[in-house]
Amino acid sequence: ITGITLNMSTVTNTTLPVNLFQGNLSIKKLILPSNLTEVAGCLFIYNSPTTTNLEEVHIPASVTFVGSSAFSGCFLLKTVYFYGTTMPTMSSYAFSWAGKDTTGHIVYIPTGSEGSYIDVTYFKQISNLDSTYLFKTANKANYDGSYP
């Protein structure tokens, strides 16, 4: 089975295990638990030569930290939704090589929160695009911020 949406928004966990979705080829869209406080390191890290099919991820407002290599190597990742008005702390390589095989990346952030997402270093990791482009895209592509 491929191309599934995994909606974990009602799961009560505040943390998820490291490597939980490592090498998973089924999930195309992931909605993380609404009360999650930390995105585990290596959550979706790939196993070469296989990558993941993840294209879209929703990160709730409750997340304050994204672990090392959480989405590293998610080559098809194109869209990331951040629901918090403050950018979570990002560990090294949180999004390294994510989106490598796609174009037109969009990082959605809540309207009015652009100032707290000023450190675009981590957005640059989402692809090989210039970080300024991604930050401007995020500013222009706001949404209402309601968690799914």
Side-chain angles (χ1 to χ4, degrees), residues 18-139:
V18 172
N19 299 325
L20 180 63
F21 301 114
Q22 182 177 9
N24 183 296
L25 298 175
S26 299
I27 301 171
K28 186 173 183 177
K29 175 180 175 181
L30 176 66
I31 302 169
L32 291 168
S34 61
N35 61 339
L36 190 71
T37 58
E38 180 178 316
V39 177
C42 303
L43 186 69
F44 261 96
I45 194 166
Y46 69 98
N47 278 334
S48 187
T50 308
T51 185
T52 69
N53 288 318
L54 185 67
E55 294 180 4
E56 180 179 319
V57 64
H58 293 253
I59 300 174
S62 55
V63 169
T64 58
F65 181 77
V66 179
S68 180
S69 300
F71 300 99
S72 178
C74 292
F75 296 160
L76 301 177
L77 185 62
K78 187 172 184 174
T79 310
V80 179
Y81 291 83
F82 285 98
Y83 290 83
T85 55
T86 303
M87 185 174 122
T89 301
M90 304 263 189
S91 189
S92 59
Y93 309 109
F95 287 96
S96 65
W97 291 104
K100 175 181 149 324
D101 292 344
T102 61
T103 59
H105 304 90
I106 301 175
V107 176
Y108 289 95
I109 58 176
T111 302
S113 65
E114 296 87 359
S116 67
Y117 283 81
I118 198 73
D119 185 358
V120 295
T121 304
Y122 299 101
F123 295 136
K124 186 175 181 181
Q125 294 178 10
I126 293 174
S127 73
N128 294 323
L129 297 175
D130 176 82
S131 60
T132 305
Y133 171 81
L134 284 172
F135 187 62
K136 286 181 180 176
T137 301
N139 288 344

